[in-house]
Amino acid sequence: MKNFDDIDRRILDELQRDAAQSLETIGDKVGLSRNACWRRIGALEKAGVIRGRVTLLDPKALGLGLTVFIQVRTNAHAADWLKTFSTAVRTIPEIMGVYRMSGDLDYLIRAQVADMAGYDRLYQTLIGKVPLSDVSASFVMEEIKETTALPL
């Protein structure tokens, strides 16, 4: 489903803003009946546009107030190394995102930890699971913008 009309975009915008809204509420906001809204959302789910619905938690309220971006460089570029690396990062709950990068950097990892000691435990766990050539980290001092909403 590549072509969205204005109503689809408005439904998606509402769901990104608050997926817990009732079908009636979303329908009222976009000018559809509850059933028509339900059918549209179902079509968007079936098409893979809506991958899931989640509750966003406040990391600080959970004692995970330190966001860290970990830059990884490796000399190993074989398929078996990548499989080991992928498995390792998927098993570490503090790791929120992992991205294979172009340029000088091989991988960028975003993680959420309590503090520097938490980062050190994460680092020790990571290097214990997979050999890495160079690991460096940058710590978020101020979050200026953070969103999960895609531009529609």
Side-chain angles (χ1 to χ4, degrees), residues 64 66 68 70 89 91-97 109-114 118-119 121-122 125:
L64 298 169
L66 184 60
V68 58
I70 306 164
V89 297
T91 63
I92 301 172
E94 295 86 354
I95 294 179
M96 307 301 293
I109 299 171
R110 181 175 58 88
Q112 203 70 41
V113 295
Y119 167 70
R121 284 189 298 278
L122 167 63
T125 299

Side-chain angles (χ1 to χ4, degrees), residues 114-126:
D115 50 25
M116 287 300 285
Y119 167 70
D120 188 51
R121 284 189 298 278
L122 167 63
Y123 170 79
Q124 296 296 331
T125 299
L126 182 61

Side-chain angles (χ1 to χ4, degrees), residues 69-104:
F69 288 91
I70 306 164
Q71 302 91 32
V72 174
R73 289 176 185 81
T74 181
N75 292 329
H77 295 281
D80 60 334
W81 181 91
L82 178 56
K83 183 177 179 182
T84 301
F85 177 76
S86 296
T87 300
V89 297
R90 285 186 177 111
T91 63
I92 301 172
E94 295 86 354
I95 294 179
M96 307 301 293
V98 180
Y99 314 93
R100 188 164 56 94
M101 307 295 289
S102 64
D104 293 335

Side-chain angles (χ1 to χ4, degrees), residues 19-67:
Q21 296 180 78
S22 70
L23 290 170
E24 291 83 4
T25 300
I26 297 170
D28 287 346
K29 290 180 179 180
V30 303
L32 291 177
S33 70
R34 177 191 188 286
N35 287 340
C37 187
W38 176 77
R39 284 191 298 276
R40 293 261 189 152
I41 291 171
L44 291 164
E45 288 174 331
K46 185 176 180 182
V49 175
I50 298 173
R51 296 189 312 186
R53 301 180 203 186
V54 300
T55 298
L56 300 176
L57 306 177
D58 183 341
K60 290 177 186 164
L62 296 169
L64 298 169
L66 184 60
T67 303

